[in-house]
Amino acid sequence: PTTPQGPRILPNVPIGAFASLGTSAVHVAGTWYRAEIYVPHFAQWTGIGVLNGATVGTDNIMVGLWDSNGILISNSAVAGALSAGANAFQNIALLNAPVLVPGRYFIGVQCNGTTATTRRQAAVMGGNTMTSSTAGTFGVVPSSFTPPTTFTADVGPIAWLYQ
């Protein structure tokens, strides 16, 4: 295909009631939390939406997108954006709008503090996406990482790609 296909929003897990989806978890400042997403159709994506937890407005968050080999495709501004919208998706624009072909990718979120929460994939959700976390420094986006081969509960962010 040469034109975008499919929905304008593509979640990495089935979406239900936001306030009860997954686990509302605090961050370790600078740690990247990643989760797999499968893109089933050709499309260009503007950014990543992160499902915030119950506590927002205290810390900045940023996002990144990596390919199936763990190679960075794009990220948001390294200054981050103030977390906003308790138990709601917060869309964060990528620095470029990548065109993705069908395949496996990884969405990551990073926070500069330890107060704001994001919702993470809980064991009860089935654990069918690979997840990982890697210590880091806020605003530093690794050009690559080793893709995970297992699911760890309460690590992978609940997120979506949006056009």
Side-chain angles (χ1 to χ4, degrees):
T2 57
T3 58
Q5 302 174 343
R8 296 185 53 80
I9 293 176
L10 180 66
N12 65 346
V13 297
I15 301 297
F18 294 167
S20 62
L21 191 60
T23 303
S24 182
V26 297
H27 292 259
V28 172
T31 295
W32 278 101
Y33 297 90
R34 294 185 189 91
E36 182 178 44
I37 185 169
Y38 182 76
V39 175
H41 56 274
F42 172 86
Q44 184 171 24
W45 303 99
T46 303
I48 295 171
V50 176
L51 182 54
N52 285 325
T55 304
V56 296
T58 57
D59 302 318
N60 287 348
I61 58 174
M62 64 173 296
V63 295
L65 178 66
W66 291 264
D67 69 13
S68 62
N69 295 311
I71 306 301
L72 181 67
I73 296 171
S74 187
N75 56 270
S76 63
V78 296
L82 185 64
S83 65
N87 298 312
F89 275 91
Q90 179 176 356
N91 288 341
I92 301 171
L94 293 168
L95 294 176
N96 59 33
V99 174
L100 302 181
V101 298
R104 177 182 184 223
Y105 298 89
F106 290 92
I107 290 175
V109 63
Q110 185 186 52
C111 185
N112 72 342
T114 59
T115 307
T117 58
T118 54
R119 299 202 73 83
R120 313 260 180 78
Q121 297 176 29
V124 71
M125 297 176 77
N128 65 344
T129 62
M130 303 299 100
T131 61
S132 70
S133 63
T134 308
T137 301
F138 184 76
V140 176
V141 185
S143 60
S144 66
F145 77 101
T146 301
T149 57
T150 59
F151 170 82
T152 303
D154 305 331
V155 169
I158 297 172
W160 62 35
L161 291 170
Y162 70 88
Q163 293 181 351

